[in-house]
Amino acid sequence: MPHPTAPIHETTAPADRPVPATRRPRPAWWAELLLAGAGYALYTVSRNAVPDHRAAALRRAQEILDAERSLHLSFELAVNHAADHVTWLITGMNYYYATLHFIVTIGALLWLYARRPEHFREARTALYAATAAALAGFYLYALAPPRFLAGEGFIDTVVVHHTWGSWASSSVDTVSNQYAAMPSVHIVWSTWCAVVLYRYARSRAVRTAAVCYPVATLVVILSTANHFEADAVAGLLTIAAAFAAARWAARFSFRPFRAPLA
């Protein structure tokens, strides 16, 4: 029997202790849809500003290419021409660029929501924060893709091979920002998918595919002349900063009400 004067240890966790992820409820699906809708509205705002940015976007594209060449780091043109020589390969890359970008990211989000809800909030916050930062970049630093620099020898592989999905094609250009190259959202999203799937998937095959995904995406965005190498680097820095911000924000999110001790 404990001594009458022995201190009584509290079993209730201190109010300022972070709530374990396993105790956090899954967010409401309708709230997530509203959040996604707000993101698309923000994208629409940036897209509508495109006509005002054309001249600056083309000038910046030339400046970035010249800077990379001066550092002997530019290999976009070589990759673009090499891939274009293999018709079935570049055709597949065109469709990869136009579709997988959305399919894998949405699939990873839905999988997290359904199967790993304890990690969903932080991962979703990182993705949305990185995307919002990218949209700000598109608005403040509009940049044309390499394929717009026809005078430099870049090949617009979608136009040449008559595949669907080019941001410059008539079926897509009305709902896309053609000068949204910096940072590369393809790299932002594919790296996000790689990180969350590698962290939370249990299948070795899935984790291996997750690691390969952003590497393959890098090859595709260069082969199709949709991005500079600098865009990819900026994309990596953007998603890294977003994960750090999401981890910091998670420390202060979801503090359930605790009744005061009697």
Side-chain angles (χ1 to χ4, degrees):
M1 181 175 180
H3 191 277
T5 60
I8 299 175
H9 297 284
E10 290 184 0
T11 58
T12 303
D16 59 349
R17 179 177 299 174
V19 179
T22 54
R23 292 170 55 188
R24 297 175 184 177
R26 180 185 285 111
W29 63 267
W30 55 266
E32 295 302 314
L33 286 179
L34 286 176
L35 192 58
Y40 183 76
L42 184 62
Y43 173 74
T44 301
V45 171
S46 71
R47 184 184 72 231
N48 290 341
V50 169
D52 299 331
H53 294 165
R54 176 180 172 81
L58 290 170
R59 184 186 72 251
R60 290 165 181 157
Q62 188 66 58
E63 291 171 352
I64 285 181
L65 182 62
D66 292 342
E68 289 183 353
R69 285 174 172 171
S70 68
L71 296 171
H72 303 287
L73 296 175
S74 176
F75 50 85
E76 299 98 333
L77 185 60
V79 173
N80 176 231
H81 279 246
D84 186 67
H85 285 312
V86 185
T87 302
W88 65 265
L89 178 62
I90 196 61
T91 299
M93 286 182 172
N94 286 340
Y95 288 119
Y96 178 117
Y97 184 87
T99 61
L100 218 60
H101 178 52
F102 298 104
I103 294 171
V104 177
T105 306
I106 294 172
L109 265 176
L110 293 175
W111 176 80
L112 273 175
Y113 186 85
R115 303 295 297 275
R116 301 289 185 272
E118 68 274 18
H119 302 296
F120 178 81
R121 290 175 184 273
E122 185 175 332
R124 176 259 284 144
T125 299
L127 177 64
Y128 285 8
T131 304
L135 291 177
F138 301 159
Y139 186 82
L140 298 173
Y141 190 80
L143 178 68
R147 59 186 170 81
F148 278 21
L149 300 179
E152 294 291 343
F154 286 100
I155 301 169
D156 189 329
T157 59
V158 170
V159 173
V160 170
H161 297 279
H162 308 288
T163 51
W164 175 88
S166 169
W167 299 128
S169 63
S170 59
S171 60
V172 181
D173 63 355
T174 57
V175 293
S176 67
N177 184 344
Q178 299 180 55
Y179 304 101
M182 175 72 78
S184 168
V185 170
H186 277 72
I187 293 298
V188 170
W189 286 9
S190 63
T191 304
W192 177 85
C193 290
V195 171
V196 298
L197 291 175
Y198 187 84
R199 280 182 176 177
Y200 307 128
R202 297 191 178 99
S203 167
R204 180 175 297 180
V206 171
R207 297 177 73 187
T208 300
V211 172
C212 295
Y213 180 44
V215 178
T217 299
L218 174 62
V219 174
V220 167
I221 66 174
L222 297 180
S223 298
T224 56
N226 277 292
H227 285 284
F228 295 100
E229 298 149 28
D231 306 336
V233 173
L236 288 175
L237 294 175
T238 299
I239 191 60
F243 271 118
R247 175 62 59 90
W248 178 82
R251 298 176 56 189
F252 304 98
S253 64
F254 188 71
R255 295 183 179 277
F257 173 77
R258 289 187 177 91
L261 297 175

